[in-house]
């Protein structure tokens, strides 16, 4: 049974049409759930949804598992873990890697920090949205892994664009150059997504 809440009515109407129950707050979702998943734009939104008025912490009961999947600061997830732990709840630090199509096809990579036994209990839920679940260590470690991944993707993307721009100025034929790269060690998933598509 799925219970959902969002500050916007459109996604709620969409998920309700698929059979989900709708709550009036994230705290109400927590009161009605064994596992709560949050995935929000930034630390401020996460703190409001989890620790704010009518947030998860207000509805949480002992044994609740919060799977926090946003890309937020390490300090935010550690603060949430500290507060919810005092209520006998568990927190999994679980950001994702992938593109929008990965989410639509349940092909996300999920990094998970927290208690490994709690993660094992949540595997069926995690595997319903991701095809790769990687345990990284304590709460906060998955956020660190996500930041490292994001930095490597950004460096890769920026260097690729700069090098291709330079090659174009030097007179390279782009289609032939891309064919060379696709068949060499320099090819990457970043190149595939941003250039070879």
């Amino acid at each position: 049974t799925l219970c959902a809440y969002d500050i916007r009515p459109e996604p709620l109407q969409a998920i309700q049409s698929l059979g989900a129950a709708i709550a009036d707050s994230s705290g109400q979702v927590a009161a009605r759930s064994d596992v709560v998943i949050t995935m929000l734009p930034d630390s401020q939104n996460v703190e409001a949804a989890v620790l704010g008025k009518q947030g998860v912490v207000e509805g949480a009961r002992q044994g609740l598992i919060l799977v926090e999947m946003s890309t937020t600061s390490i300090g935010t997830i550690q603060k949430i873990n500290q507060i919810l732990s005092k209520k006998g709840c568990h927190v999994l630090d679980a950001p994702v890697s992938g593109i929008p199509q990965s989410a639509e096809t349940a092909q996300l990579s999920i990094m998970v920090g927290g208690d490994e036994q709690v993660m094992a209990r949540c595997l069926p839920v995690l595997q319903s949205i991701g095809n790769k679940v990687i345990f990284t260590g304590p709460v906060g470690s998955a956020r660190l892994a996500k930041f490292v991944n994001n930095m490597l993707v950004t460096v890769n993307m920026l260097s690729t664009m700069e090098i291709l721009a330079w090659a174009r100025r030097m007179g390279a034929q782009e289609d032939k150059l891309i064919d060379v790269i696709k068949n060499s060690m320099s090819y990457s998933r970043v190149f595939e997504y941003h250039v070879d598509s």
Side-chain angles (χ1 to χ4, degrees):
T1 303
L2 182 66
C3 179
Y5 172 70
D6 197 291
I7 60 171
R8 297 170 301 134
E10 298 84 11
L12 284 180
Q13 289 163 3
I15 202 163
Q16 188 174 35
S17 72
L18 296 172
I22 300 304
D24 295 325
S25 68
S26 53
Q28 194 177 96
V29 170
R32 296 166 64 176
S33 305
D34 298 315
V35 178
V36 174
I37 297 175
T38 51
M39 188 183 285
L40 297 158
D42 56 39
S43 294
Q44 185 176 354
N45 291 127
V46 172
E47 287 209 30
V50 177
L51 304 178
K53 187 177 179 183
Q54 297 184 319
V56 171
V57 71
E58 289 191 7
R61 62 191 186 285
Q62 188 168 355
L64 176 83
I65 301 170
L66 172 68
V67 181
E68 213 306 289
M69 307 189 85
S70 314
T71 301
T72 61
S73 74
I74 294 171
T76 296
I77 193 66
Q78 289 176 334
K79 175 181 177 182
I80 288 168
N81 182 52
Q82 187 177 37
I83 291 169
L84 283 178
S85 292
K86 290 176 182 174
K87 294 196 75 169
C89 303
H90 306 282
V91 173
L92 292 179
D93 162 26
V96 304
S97 178
I99 57 177
Q101 293 91 322
S102 304
E104 292 164 8
T105 58
Q107 299 291 304
L108 293 169
S109 292
I110 306 171
M111 298 145 266
V112 184
D115 185 312
E116 197 165 6
Q117 291 183 332
V118 173
M119 183 194 79
R121 285 165 52 196
C122 291
L123 270 180
V125 174
L126 296 171
Q127 290 171 340
S128 72
I129 57 174
N131 64 339
K132 188 73 175 174
V133 179
I134 305 163
F135 182 70
T136 58
V139 169
S141 63
R143 289 297 196 278
L144 177 58
K146 175 66 186 277
F147 295 147
V148 169
N149 184 65
N150 282 5
M151 286 187 279
L152 286 171
V153 167
T154 302
V155 168
N156 194 335
M157 182 176 64
L158 292 174
S159 62
T160 297
M161 299 309 159
E162 286 294 326
I163 290 165
L164 289 179
W166 171 79
R168 198 175 290 124
R169 287 195 303 272
M170 294 296 289
Q173 293 185 45
E174 192 164 312
D175 59 335
K176 290 182 171 51
L177 182 60
I178 288 173
D179 193 36
V180 168
I181 293 168
K182 282 174 66 173
N183 292 284
S184 71
M185 288 291 290
S186 61
Y187 196 55
S188 69
R189 291 171 69 183
V190 170
F191 191 95
E192 178 185 21
Y193 181 68
H194 290 286
V195 181
D196 182 30
S197 56

